[in-house]
Every structure is written in structure tokens, then in C-alpha cells.
Amino acid sequence: MVPSFLSLRLSCLGLWASGLILVLGFLKLIRLLLRRQRLAKAMGNFPGPPTHWLFGHALEIQQTGSLDKVVSWAHQFPYAHPLWFGQFIGFLNIYEPDYAKAVYSRGDPKAPDVYDFFLQWIGRGLLVLEGPKWFQHRKLLTPGFHYDVLKPYVALFAESTRVMLDKWEEKADDLGKMTYLTMCIKESFRLYPPVPQVYRQLSKPVTFVDGRSLPAGSLISMHIYALHRNSAVWPDPEVFDPLRFSTENASKRHPFAFMPFSAGPRNCIGQQFAMSEMKVVTAMCLLHFEFSLDPSRLPIKMLQLVLRSKNGIHLHLKPLGPGSGK
Ligand SMILES: *[C@@H]1O[C@H](CO)[C@@H](O)[C@H](O)[C@H]1NC(C)=O
């Protein structure tokens, strides 16, 4: 059992403690109020955006788009305006070169209201120190950033960048995956094969599927352009339809139905190169422009070993605007 005199003393102590806390809290509040009054009075000459009775401007500042909010305020108040985080912390928010010079050409200490929050995180280092200690640290560290000291880092920067670029290059293997673009390119190659007609001389006789044959020495003209418009293979052959080249559709087709790079052992050795180039160039062009044919000057197809346009290719280019596709 607790002796009664002790419990009396304990309750007295509790009373004293709560009284003390109350007084201290009251004093703190008075200090805050005085400070608020001082800050508000100091900024009395600076007009600013309206403040919330409790939060000041904190709500606007925390929202996304707060940077643009401040810019809109800066248009309204060309040099500076008060900025309140709640009731007790008010800054003069400045954004004008002469205002900046007036403050930053001097060595005023960092605002403890803000940077004290960071102490746990960044410690009492160069960023938040002040006075002689700051000066000493600054003096110690400055030679570390001398131009000559930085020189060896150039190789390091270069190496890091090279590693980054290599990784990007691996990623840029989105080259093989540009599925729809690939289908569009193939469909274009179907309708406009780069080499529409190729020739062979038979070294041995050949027998065709329907029993007809040709002797050795015969000449063959392989008309790729007509093959690609063969309606037995390509329904509605004149219609541009990239879906013809979906994996599913393409797998059902005769392997020799589509031969923009010729076919067999003597096919075009550079076809992978050409496809990669086409994809990259086309994708980059399409990022920047919308292309359409000039209807008054449509290309006139002409066969000169390769497929060409007799009258050039007249296009309308519509810029997609800066930053488009980024
Ligand atoms: C196959 O091609 C047809 C005709 O172009 C198209 O309608 C269909 O969607 C294609 N199928 C697939 C799986 O792409």
C-alpha cells in the first residue's frame, strides 16, 4: 500500500507538472503570435495572394501544379509576395534578379524553419552550417572541386555515359517489336516492291505444280509486282491492309507469296539491314510529321530495275509540333 503522504505528494507533483506544461505552452503560443505579428508587419508593404485563415498558402503550395501557381502569382506581383506556410511561418517569396541580388550577394544563414527539418536527413553539413564553422568547411572543400581535380572524372563521365547508352541500345531493340509499323512497311513492300521484276536462267529443267515444264536454259521473269497482287493469294489486292502481315495471317500464307527481297538461297543479303533502317527512319519521320500525298501530283510508277516514280514523290508534310512524340 502506498502511504497517504506519498500519494498526496505525487498528486501535487502531477498538478505542478500540468501547470508548468500549460504555462510553457502558453508562452510558446505568445512567442509564435508575436513572431507572426512581426513577420506580417515586416511584409506589410508587399501585396500578395489571399491567404487561408489556417493554412496560409500551404494548400496551394502542396498541390501538384504549385510551381505554375507561383508563376501565376509572380505575374500578378512582379517582384515578390508574402508566402505563408500556416499561420506562423511567412516568407517573402522573391523571383526578380535585383531582389535576388539584394539577398544572395550577402551571406545570410539558411532559414532554420525550413532546414531544421532536413537536419536528421543531411546532418549538420555544409548546406545548413553557418558562421566560422561553415567558412572553415567551405574552405576545406573548395579545392576538391578545382578544375584540375575534376579532369580525371571526365573519363568516368564518359564511361558511365557509354554504359548508359549501351543499355539504351539494348532497349532500342524496340526495333524488332514495332509490330504495327513492321506490318505497314511489309504491306508497302507488297504493293510497291523495291525490285518488281527479277530474272533467272534455268540451269536444269523445272516442272511446275500443274505438270507443265521448261527445259534447262529457259529464261524466267519473276514478276514480284504481279505476284504481290495475285488475287488468289491476296484478297482485294489493291487495298492497303497491314493486317495481312499479322503473325497469324502471314503464317497461313504460302512462303513464296511475298518476296520483296526475292527468295531462296540468292535472296537479298541486306534484308534485315534494310528492314531495321526502314523501321527507324520511318518511326522517326512519323514522330515529327504527318505525311500525305499531293493528290494533284500522284507518283507515276516506273520500272527501272528498281521501282521508281517518274515524277518524283510529292508529299504534304504537317509538322506535329515541338516535343511531339517525345
Ligand atoms: C487477317 O487479315 C484479315 C484481312 O486483312 C483481317 O481482317 C484480320 O483481322 C487479320 N487477322 C489477324 C489476326 O490479324
Side-chain angles (χ1 to χ4, degrees):
M1 239 189 93
V2 184
S4 59
F5 70 92
L6 193 61
S7 70
L8 195 71
R9 272 170 105 179
L10 274 178
S11 61
C12 262
L13 207 66
L15 212 68
W16 267 102
S18 33
L20 194 67
I21 288 170
L22 229 111
V23 170
L24 285 179
F26 188 65
L27 284 177
K28 178 80 185 169
L29 185 71
I30 296 215
R31 262 182 54 195
L32 282 172
L33 284 171
L34 284 175
R35 190 175 112 130
R36 180 195 151 71
Q37 204 182 20
R38 204 180 63 235
L39 289 172
K41 187 168 167 229
M43 289 192 284
N45 286 332
F46 295 88
T51 55
H52 184 277
W53 67 273
L54 180 60
F55 300 116
H57 303 109
L59 293 179
E60 283 108 320
I61 289 302
Q62 270 173 12
Q63 279 161 10
T64 49
S66 72
L67 292 174
D68 295 320
K69 184 87 213 169
V70 171
V71 170
S72 77
W73 286 341
H75 287 310
Q76 217 176 327
F77 312 100
Y79 296 98
H81 67 75
L83 184 65
W84 286 93
F85 297 124
Q87 282 297 295
F88 303 115
I89 305 179
F91 295 89
L92 184 69
N93 190 34
I94 64 175
Y95 32 73
E96 196 273 341
D98 277 326
Y99 269 56
K101 186 180 165 197
V103 178
Y104 277 76
S105 55
R106 320 183 323 178
D108 302 73
K110 304 276 168 100
D113 284 297
V114 175
Y115 291 96
D116 281 359
F117 284 121
F118 292 109
L119 279 184
Q120 294 273 342
W121 176 28
I122 54 174
R124 203 166 279 283
L126 197 61
L127 188 69
V128 287
L129 278 176
E130 54 177 295
K133 200 161 177 199
W134 165 81
F135 187 71
Q136 189 197 7
H137 282 216
R138 174 88 190 198
K139 228 171 114 180
L140 273 170
L141 285 170
T142 300
F145 293 92
H146 188 272
Y147 181 72
D148 286 332
V149 178
L150 292 183
K151 265 189 203 161
Y153 284 92
V154 172
L156 195 68
F157 297 154
E159 173 61 14
S160 309
T161 310
R162 199 190 53 71
V163 170
M164 180 180 74
L165 289 176
D166 281 352
K167 291 200 166 158
W168 283 2
E169 206 134 294
E170 274 169 39
K171 291 243 190 295
D173 275 351
D174 62 70
L175 211 73
K177 292 204 185 86
M178 290 190 272
T179 322
Y180 190 72
L181 180 62
T182 308
M183 297 196 307
C184 288
I185 292 172
K186 285 185 177 171
E187 178 66 344
S188 309
F189 276 166
R190 181 184 71 82
L191 286 167
Y192 308 104
V195 185
Q197 196 175 8
V198 289
Y199 309 90
R200 291 279 164 96
Q201 179 169 29
L202 298 181
S203 56
K204 341 178 249 200
V206 69
T207 305
F208 294 108
V209 67
D210 52 358
R212 292 187 232 190
S213 60
L214 281 175
S218 304
L219 298 174
I220 300 285
S221 144
M222 171 76 240
H223 208 282
I224 296 170
Y225 187 91
L227 170 76
H228 286 180
R229 282 171 161 76
N230 184 330
S231 57
V233 187
W234 308 99
D236 299 322
E238 295 297 334
V239 175
F240 182 87
D241 177 10
L243 285 179
R244 298 181 202 270
F245 289 95
S246 70
T247 321
E248 196 186 321
N249 279 342
S251 67
K252 286 186 218 140
R253 213 160 26 235
H254 196 293
F256 283 75
F258 178 64
M259 36 189 294
F261 298 108
S262 188
R266 301 200 49 174
N267 66 2
C268 169
I269 196 172
Q271 55 185 299
Q272 293 307 332
F273 180 92
M275 278 307 288
S276 302
E277 188 188 30
M278 287 281 301
K279 283 191 228 177
V280 172
V281 174
T282 311
M284 289 181 77
C285 291
L286 291 177
L287 278 177
H288 292 92
F289 292 98
E290 192 180 301
F291 297 86
S292 55
L293 272 176
D294 178 349
S296 66
R297 288 181 289 181
L298 293 175
I300 300 165
K301 283 171 285 189
M302 180 176 66
L303 182 58
Q304 263 189 355
L305 188 61
V306 294
L307 180 61
R308 298 188 54 198
S309 168
K310 194 175 176 182
N311 55 340
I313 297 174
H314 298 274
L315 296 171
H316 291 302
L317 270 66
K318 188 174 149 202
L320 292 174
S324 56
K326 297 264 163 71

